[in-house]
């Protein structure tokens, strides 16, 4: 049977949620507390059955992760300008997002900002504090727009490839 990457990622998420539930059951149901000479609580915890279920889920999780890792390392992105794999695209996407957050800090409203600092002690006088940004703010806006467009194109290519690429399961 063949499934697309996106299907496998959804299945992986479902398995991980089920694993979380099973782990919570281990913590919550493997111990009982009660007072002596009072009614005892349910002691139906089945260690073997629950751990067998957990082992099976871990096995399924590992198989899906292995398939996705192989696909990410070997599948080229569909309709993308660079000839790169899904994995390389994910790395590039992280780099672009990091770069975008760096240049967003440089986005300011005015090149020069003047602010009056009032005298702090007698005999002092008010002064004007000038803050001047030493780069072209218009270039920053253009760069932000270009990086956002690159991120969008890359995300679309990754999503398209994840929906179209089929993996033998």
């Amino acid at each position: 049977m063949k499934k697309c990457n996106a299907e496998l990622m959804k299945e992986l998420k479902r398995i991980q949620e089920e694993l979380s539930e099973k782990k919570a059951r281990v913590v919550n149901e493997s111990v009982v507390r009660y007072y002596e000479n009072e009614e005892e609580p349910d002691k139906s915890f089945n260690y073997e059955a629950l751990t067998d279920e957990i082992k099976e889920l871990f096995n399924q999780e590992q198989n899906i992760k292995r398939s996705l890792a192989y696909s990410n390392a070997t599948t080229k992105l569909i309709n993308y300008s660079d000839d790169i794999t899904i994995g390389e695209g994910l790395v590039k996407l992280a780099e672009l997002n990091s770069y975008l957050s760096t240049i967003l800090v440089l986005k300011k409203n005015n090149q020069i900002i003047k602010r009056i600092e009032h005298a702090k002690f007698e005999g002092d006088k008010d002064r004007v504090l000038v803050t001047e940004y030493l780069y072209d703010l218009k270039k920053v806006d253009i760069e932000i727009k270009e990086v956002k467009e690159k991120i969008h194109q890359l995300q679309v290519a990754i999503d398209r490839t994840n929906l179209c690429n089929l993996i033998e399961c």
Side-chain angles (χ1 to χ4, degrees):
M1 172 198 279
K2 290 187 174 193
K3 294 183 179 179
C4 72
N5 293 21
E7 280 179 286
L8 287 176
M9 287 185 276
K10 294 286 186 191
E11 193 172 322
L12 180 61
K13 184 177 180 184
R14 181 195 56 79
I15 288 169
Q16 290 170 335
E17 288 170 354
E18 197 172 333
L19 269 169
S20 290
E21 291 171 13
K22 301 280 185 201
K23 290 175 185 177
R25 280 188 54 205
V26 167
V27 170
N28 295 327
E29 297 176 12
S30 65
V31 175
V32 293
R33 288 189 175 83
Y34 57 93
Y35 291 103
E36 192 173 41
N37 299 325
E38 290 188 11
E39 184 179 341
E40 293 183 10
D42 180 21
K43 294 183 182 180
S44 62
F45 178 76
N46 187 335
Y47 171 81
E48 289 81 14
L50 190 57
T51 54
D52 286 346
E53 291 173 17
I54 290 172
K55 287 176 191 174
E56 176 57 29
L57 288 170
F58 275 137
N59 189 38
Q60 291 174 20
E61 179 186 43
Q62 184 181 25
N63 289 337
I64 291 172
K65 284 181 175 181
R66 186 181 304 114
S67 295
L68 286 171
Y70 180 78
S71 176
N72 286 349
T74 59
T75 306
K76 300 287 185 180
L77 290 179
I78 298 171
N79 294 339
Y80 189 67
S81 57
D82 296 342
D83 186 31
I84 60 175
T85 64
I86 296 170
E88 292 167 324
L90 291 170
V91 169
K92 185 173 183 174
L93 185 60
E95 291 169 348
L96 285 170
N97 278 313
S98 176
Y99 179 63
L100 179 62
S101 66
T102 300
I103 61 176
L104 280 171
V105 172
L106 299 173
K107 185 172 175 57
K108 306 292 179 198
N109 292 328
N110 296 313
Q111 191 80 40
I112 297 175
I113 301 169
K114 295 180 180 182
R115 182 174 53 106
I116 296 176
E117 276 196 357
H118 296 288
K120 295 185 176 146
F121 54 88
E122 193 174 320
D124 194 10
K125 56 183 174 180
D126 292 348
R127 299 187 300 173
V128 176
L129 176 66
V130 178
T131 303
E132 182 176 355
Y133 294 98
L134 304 176
Y135 51 89
D136 187 347
L137 298 177
K138 291 177 184 163
K139 286 183 181 178
V140 172
D141 287 337
I142 292 167
E143 181 78 7
I144 288 171
K145 185 177 179 182
E146 289 172 356
V147 172
K148 283 182 176 181
E149 181 59 30
K150 287 178 185 177
I151 289 171
H152 172 74
Q153 289 171 351
L154 185 53
Q155 285 175 327
V156 167
I158 291 169
D159 291 345
R160 180 180 292 122
T161 305
N162 280 332
L163 286 169
C164 296
N165 183 58
L166 296 177
I167 301 172
E168 187 63 47
C169 299

